[in-house]
Amino acid sequence: MSSTLPAFTDLNATWTFIQPGLEFILGAQNDQGVTSTMYMNCYTAVYNYCVNKSRRGSTPQSISNNTENNSYSLAGAEIYSKLELYLIQFIKNLKKQPNESFLEFYVRKWTRFTIGAVYMNNVFDYMNRYWVQKERSDGRKDVFDVNTLSLIKWRNEMFQPNNEILINQILELIEKQRNHLIVDTNLISTAIKSLVFLSIDIQDLKKPNLIIYVNSFEKPFLDSTMAYYLKESSEYLANHNVVDYMKKCETRIAEEISRSNTFLEDHSKKAFINILNKSMIENHAYEMYDQFLILLQQNQIDHIQRMYKLLSRVPKTLDPLANALEEYIKREANSVIEEIQKQSEQDIKDGKKKTIEPKIYINKLISIYNQFNDVVIKAFNKDTKFIRSLDNACRYFVNNNCIAIPKPRSSCKTPELLARYADGFLKSTSKDSDIIDMNSDNLMIIFKFINDKDTFEENYRRLLAKRLIHGNFKSEELEESVIHKLQEENSIEYTSKMTKMFSDMKASEDLKLKVKSKLGDDVTVKEFTPMILAQASWPFTYNKLYNLNIPNELSDTITKLKEVYSAQHHGRQLKFLFNHGRAEIKANLSKKGKPAFIFQVTNIQLMILLAFNSKDSYTIDELHEIVGCEKSIFQSHLSALIKYKLIIEENNLLTIVEEYKSKKLKVNFISAVKTTTNQQIEEEDEVKNEINESRKQFLQAAIVRIMKSRKTITNTNLLNEVLLQCVNFEAKIIDIKKVIDDLIEKEYLKRDGSNYEYIA
């Protein structure tokens, strides 16, 4: 290359001068680089030509679309045209070596060409900044800076004619990589990256554009990936088990993601991951589902977790897995509970017990829940979908099993058994060894799943009432903590009656102190605990069959109690529930020199024994008349005293013993009082009636609230809205319709065809 610069007005001389330098810049001379002198000479020659050559008139129409009649215009069109032709010819003359693949040739030449294009862009810097910029601002979209022009010519002359062979060789190399053969990864990444550079939007050079990359590489790549893994996964599953296949999937997906990060554009990654998931996971989900139940039975938590992680990559495939878990839990639970029932029936037949033990039943429900809760936590990472499946399954088997519903259409027994379970660990008389695995946390787990929470509340409240009035509770703090938990899980209204019961107990204690301060020293009963219970909160009803005649020993105390209470609360009526009270009585029936006995007795037994302070013997009728309750009730309480030989019955004459023989100084006669079948039935009926009445009132209030708000509503919508409000029990449609009919009768509502109108 000559060091003498050409005349700036001579286009051909200028081009002849710079062309050898361009050859060196673009690497045509065996990749020999350009010298700094040669580079500066080329730059100066182009600069001189563009700056100093001026022309009159418009540029030729073939080069310029400029329609203005300028007296002076920037030079550059002619040399730009020569450069464009040169680039076309240069790229066409590039030749592949005999021993290299087209991909190797392409990457080698592309790498050198793009480096040279950057330098060449600098050589034509003045033309870029002035002439090219002016032409593009005038609307010329076919004029580009030299670097962009070079890429466009490479795309047109090198890539497009050889598109298919290049992409095929890229995909072949990727497949070899998948087959764990050693390949030059630089060939893959460089070739693919070239497609991104070649994706040029000639209308807006600054706008990101991946059209070449997407159409030429992304689509074939995704298709080939799908085909490869569809084939591999099917072949692998045909010769291996599902667990091995899942391990293979994990490895393959990790490999592909790691590999693809070296050459894949972000635009493709989501679609690529979807292809992997579809070919390896979604297409073989059913094989995994079939294995899932086997893994559950074998408690293979690690493999279940592996399955979950794979399927979670395709969220819709988790639904059948969650459904399968739910159904499996139901089946397993029913099987376990059936075993409990069979064992219980055998124990009852053998006389070992009378009914199913709440502790055994509830603890088994808890163990089932804990078993599968561990699976959900460890294998399914606390996924809400699987938590919901566990909850649904638990709600089903807690409320629908052979113990919960022993007969078709019978009410669920689980709420009652749960209440008795709670009573077991809250009673002070329970042995620690018997309640070691019973606690309020377990109670709340099952409480969450029972449908008829109102049934639980009624039974729990009745048992709580007995614990409170008999002083048979471990601690007030423990009782209140359970009530607080029930309130948190449900509502303040749900536990309002229980809370009021504790208030009544505290008020009763205050009343006792006031009465004791009013009593003199000459009263027979100095220690007593009156309990004033609000009828609305406590589950007790007045029963006139238990009315007792108050003996002289108690009359002063009871009279003073009435006086003090009436002074505090005007207009309130006191009714004595003698069937629920109990007493301790000191009995001097022991040998001389030994302390007196303390008898724990019911109120009826108290009246019977106090009668013997007057004389030693009575006929049954005489004693019954003195005591005063219904005859059969009197006899059931008397029989306990006769059974344990405190009273001797001979020839219809009842006589108190002069000396009672017992190793214990404190004797309990209360537990010996037998509850008759009729009494049990009456109590069960009372509970049912209370629940039914409470539900009826709730439904009436719900319907009236809805109707007041809506004024008119269709039958279907009213039923649906009422059902939504029934959170503490499962309302039956027939019961709602009966309540609607009652409200129509009471003229709260009016029926108009299939609609209801509020008229109250």
Side-chain angles (χ1 to χ4, degrees):
M1 180 178 180
S2 173
S3 59
T4 305
L5 292 171
F8 61 82
T9 55
D10 190 339
L11 171 64
N12 291 328
T14 299
W15 183 256
T16 301
F17 180 82
I18 66 172
Q19 183 175 339
L22 299 182
E23 296 283 323
F24 281 98
I25 289 173
L26 292 176
Q29 305 299 325
N30 296 320
D31 291 339
Q32 184 180 346
V34 65
T35 64
S36 57
T37 302
M38 189 182 297
Y39 176 82
M40 286 306 300
N41 285 339
C42 289
Y43 177 88
T44 304
V46 173
Y47 175 85
N48 289 340
Y49 175 79
C50 293
V51 169
N52 297 308
K53 185 177 183 300
S54 61
R55 297 172 289 107
R56 297 287 180 182
S58 300
T59 56
Q61 189 64 31
S62 60
I63 300 298
S64 174
N65 290 331
N66 189 2
T67 56
E68 295 181 13
N69 188 20
N70 296 328
S71 59
Y72 175 82
S73 66
L74 293 171
E78 297 91 343
I79 200 167
Y80 181 90
S81 179
K82 281 191 171 292
L83 175 62
E84 192 172 13
L85 293 173
Y86 168 75
L87 286 172
I88 292 172
Q89 197 58 45
F90 177 85
I91 294 168
K92 284 182 176 180
N93 289 337
L94 294 175
K95 300 299 179 184
K96 181 173 78 71
Q97 293 179 2
N99 60 341
E100 66 179 347
S101 66
F102 180 79
L103 176 59
E104 290 170 330
F105 159 72
Y106 178 90
V107 168
R108 180 168 59 83
K109 289 301 182 183
W110 161 263
T111 303
R112 185 63 183 82
F113 180 80
T114 50
I115 292 171
V118 172
Y119 283 98
M120 189 165 62
N121 192 64
N122 293 332
V123 168
F124 289 89
D125 178 66
Y126 188 85
M127 183 184 76
N128 283 339
R129 285 190 291 116
Y130 292 97
W131 181 79
V132 170
Q133 188 174 330
K134 174 66 169 60
E135 293 297 302
R136 289 194 66 81
S137 65
D138 287 345
R140 292 286 306 277
K141 300 300 182 183
D142 58 338
V143 174
F144 313 96
D145 64 88
V146 171
N147 189 48
T148 303
L149 177 66
S150 302
L151 295 177
I152 290 173
K153 295 309 173 186
W154 181 275
R155 181 188 67 186
N156 296 344
E157 306 304 326
M158 177 61 76
F159 172 72
Q160 287 178 345
N162 303 290
N163 176 7
E164 190 172 333
I165 187 171
L166 176 67
I167 299 302
N168 285 341
Q169 289 188 10
I170 293 173
L171 296 178
E172 285 173 9
L173 218 55
I174 291 173
E175 184 168 337
K176 286 181 179 179
Q177 211 177 8
R178 286 171 176 161
N179 292 333
H180 301 114
L181 298 176
I182 297 174
V183 299
D184 185 352
T185 55
N186 181 60
L187 293 175
I188 300 172
S189 57
T190 304
I192 293 171
K193 186 61 69 176
S194 76
L195 308 184
V196 177
F197 286 115
L198 297 179
S199 299
I200 299 168
D201 185 348
I202 61 174
Q203 300 301 317
D204 186 354
L205 299 180
K206 295 180 181 179
K207 183 179 178 182
N209 190 323
L210 292 174
I211 189 167
I212 298 292
Y213 168 85
V214 170
N215 291 337
S216 297
F217 171 73
E218 183 183 85
K219 291 178 181 178
F221 170 71
L222 295 178
D223 290 343
S224 67
T225 301
M226 174 66 87
Y228 182 89
Y229 283 110
L230 280 177
K231 181 182 178 184
E232 182 185 78
S233 58
S234 297
E235 289 177 353
Y236 194 90
L237 265 173
N239 299 293
H240 298 81
N241 61 42
V242 171
V243 171
D244 288 342
Y245 174 72
M246 291 191 297
K247 293 177 182 177
K248 177 78 170 177
C249 279
E250 286 179 333
T251 303
R252 272 308 202 183
I253 290 171
E255 288 175 353
E256 282 292 337
I257 292 174
S258 176
R259 252 195 315 267
S260 65
N261 285 336
T262 64
F263 62 79
L264 215 55
E265 288 295 303
D266 289 342
H267 177 274
S268 309
K269 288 181 179 178
K270 183 177 179 181
F272 175 61
I273 295 298
N274 289 340
I275 289 292
L276 295 178
N277 293 340
K278 185 172 179 60
S279 59
M280 285 191 270
I281 298 170
E282 187 178 350
N283 281 15
H284 299 290
Y286 284 98
E287 287 96 325
M288 297 189 204
Y289 299 153
D290 291 341
Q291 188 67 23
F292 175 60
L293 298 181
I294 297 171
L295 295 176
L296 268 178
Q297 289 169 352
Q298 297 173 350
N299 198 33
Q300 298 283 345
I301 301 299
D302 290 344
H303 295 327
I304 295 173
Q305 184 185 49
R306 180 174 281 111
M307 183 181 295
Y308 164 72
K309 285 181 177 178
L310 286 172
L311 291 174
S312 62
R313 298 176 65 86
V314 187
K316 65 181 180 180
T317 63
L318 289 176
D319 289 332
L321 198 68
N323 293 338
L325 175 67
E326 182 177 331
E327 294 304 315
Y328 179 81
I329 296 172
K330 289 178 184 177
R331 289 195 301 272
E332 286 296 298
N334 283 332
S335 175
V336 170
I337 295 169
E338 281 174 6
E339 286 298 316
I340 296 176
Q341 186 194 35
K342 288 176 184 176
Q343 184 61 50
S344 178
E345 289 173 350
Q346 187 61 47
D347 289 346
I348 292 169
K349 198 178 291 183
D350 296 342
K352 294 180 182 178
K353 55 185 174 182
K354 295 179 180 179
T355 57
I356 180 74
E357 287 188 27
K359 172 187 172 181
I360 293 174
Y361 174 66
I362 298 300
N363 278 350
K364 187 53 68 176
L365 297 182
I366 292 293
S367 69
I368 297 167
Y369 169 81
N370 286 338
Q371 175 189 346
F372 290 103
N373 189 48
D374 284 346
V375 174
V376 169
I377 292 171
K378 295 175 183 176
F380 299 109
N381 197 30
K382 297 183 183 178
D383 189 315
T384 54
K385 195 185 294 287
F386 291 89
I387 292 174
R388 188 164 55 249
S389 292
L390 173 62
D391 288 353
N392 290 343
C394 290
R395 190 168 291 107
Y396 176 83
F397 73 71
V398 163
N399 296 283
N400 300 277
N401 62 67
C402 54
I403 293 175
I405 304 184
K407 296 177 182 178
R409 297 185 181 178
S410 63
S411 56
C412 180
K413 295 289 183 186
T414 302
E416 178 190 346
L417 291 168
L418 184 63
R420 286 166 54 195
Y421 171 87
D423 188 56
F425 70 80
L426 291 170
K427 280 193 301 189
S428 60
T429 52
S430 299
K431 295 179 182 178
D432 289 342
S433 58
D434 292 336
I435 60 171
I436 193 167
D437 51 355
M438 300 168 69
N439 54 64
S440 59
D441 291 336
N442 286 349
L443 167 70
M444 295 312 301
I445 288 172
I446 302 303
F447 175 78
K448 181 175 72 171
F449 297 121
I450 58 174
N451 290 332
D452 296 334
K453 290 182 171 60
D454 60 341
T455 303
F456 170 83
E457 188 272 341
E458 182 65 26
N459 283 279
Y460 182 88
R461 190 163 53 90
R462 286 174 176 273
L463 293 168
L464 170 63
K466 290 178 181 178
R467 292 196 298 276
L468 292 178
I469 64 171
H470 296 150
N472 185 19
F473 56 90
K474 284 190 174 178
S475 74
E476 192 172 314
E477 292 77 11
L478 181 58
E479 292 283 357
E480 289 180 345
S481 72
V482 173
I483 291 172
H484 181 68
K485 288 180 179 180
L486 291 170
Q487 179 182 307
E488 284 186 329
E489 183 65 35
N490 200 292
S491 65
I492 294 176
E493 291 78 11
Y494 185 76
T495 58
S496 59
K497 289 182 179 180
M498 301 177 202
T499 305
K500 181 64 171 62
M501 287 162 68
F502 281 93
S503 299
D504 286 352
M505 293 298 292
K506 290 172 183 174
S508 297
E509 186 65 26
D510 294 339
L511 178 66
K512 180 181 84 170
L513 296 174
K514 289 180 181 178
V515 174
K516 285 185 75 173
S517 68
K518 300 281 185 183
L519 289 170
D521 294 331
D522 57 343
V523 292
T524 305
V525 180
K526 292 184 172 64
E527 290 298 326
F528 67 98
T529 304
M531 295 182 185
I532 309 300
L533 314 177
Q535 188 175 345
S537 300
W538 292 76
F540 302 138
T541 55
Y542 172 72
N543 191 339
K544 63 182 180 179
L545 297 178
Y546 283 88
N547 276 351
L548 299 175
N549 298 321
I550 306 300
N552 293 332
E553 291 90 339
L554 301 177
S555 60
D556 289 345
T557 303
I558 290 178
T559 300
K560 188 58 68 175
L561 171 66
K562 289 180 178 178
E563 288 176 4
V564 173
Y565 184 78
S566 297
Q568 277 186 286
H569 305 284
H570 299 287
R572 291 190 185 177
Q573 184 181 6
L574 283 176
K575 291 182 180 179
F576 286 85
L577 306 178
F578 289 113
N579 52 320
H580 292 292
R582 55 178 58 185
E584 285 189 353
I585 187 170
K586 186 177 181 181
N588 292 308
L589 299 173
S590 56
K591 285 183 179 181
K592 288 183 180 179
K594 287 192 174 183
F597 285 104
I598 301 296
F599 294 151
Q600 293 177 319
V601 293
T602 65
N603 281 336
I604 298 168
Q605 290 172 335
L606 174 65
M607 306 308 176
I608 292 171
L609 294 177
L610 288 176
F612 286 101
N613 283 334
S614 300
K615 64 179 197 177
D616 294 336
S617 299
Y618 295 94
T619 65
I620 291 179
D621 290 339
E622 285 174 341
L623 190 58
H624 173 245
E625 189 175 346
I626 291 170
V627 174
C629 66
E630 198 269 335
K631 187 70 175 283
S632 64
I633 296 170
F634 165 79
Q635 287 177 330
S636 67
H637 288 254
L638 174 64
S639 62
L641 302 173
I642 294 171
K643 179 181 178 182
Y644 290 101
K645 298 179 181 180
L646 181 59
I647 294 175
I648 306 300
E649 182 181 17
E650 287 182 355
N651 301 322
N652 200 33
L653 195 65
L654 302 171
T655 305
I656 192 80
V657 297
E658 292 183 3
E659 184 182 311
Y660 186 63
K661 294 178 181 179
S662 173
K663 293 179 181 179
K664 297 178 180 178
L665 288 176
K666 198 169 190 178
V667 184
N668 186 341
F669 290 98
I670 300 169
S671 57
V673 178
K674 290 184 178 179
T675 304
T676 65
T677 305
N678 287 339
Q679 286 174 314
Q680 288 177 336
I681 293 172
E682 284 174 10
E683 189 172 348
E684 288 174 2
D685 288 343
E686 189 179 328
V687 172
K688 287 179 183 177
N689 292 336
E690 182 74 23
I691 292 168
N692 289 336
E693 185 60 30
S694 176
R695 289 180 178 182
K696 183 178 177 182
Q697 290 175 5
F698 178 87
L699 292 174
Q700 285 178 340
I703 292 168
V704 170
R705 275 197 306 271
I706 293 166
M707 293 306 300
K708 271 181 119 174
S709 171
R710 301 288 292 274
K711 305 304 181 189
T712 60
I713 193 172
T714 64
N715 176 63
T716 303
N717 287 342
L718 179 57
L719 292 175
N720 289 337
E721 290 198 29
V722 172
L723 288 171
L724 285 174
Q725 294 192 25
C726 297
V727 293
N728 284 331
F729 65 96
E730 281 192 315
K732 297 176 182 175
I733 298 294
I734 189 170
D735 293 334
I736 300 174
K737 288 183 176 179
K738 283 179 183 177
V739 173
I740 291 173
D741 290 339
D742 289 343
L743 291 172
I744 290 172
E745 229 176 276
K746 294 175 183 177
E747 297 185 346
Y748 280 86
L749 313 179
K750 183 174 74 174
R751 186 180 279 113
D752 182 11
S754 61
N755 295 338
Y756 295 107
E757 182 181 344
Y758 183 67
I759 59 174

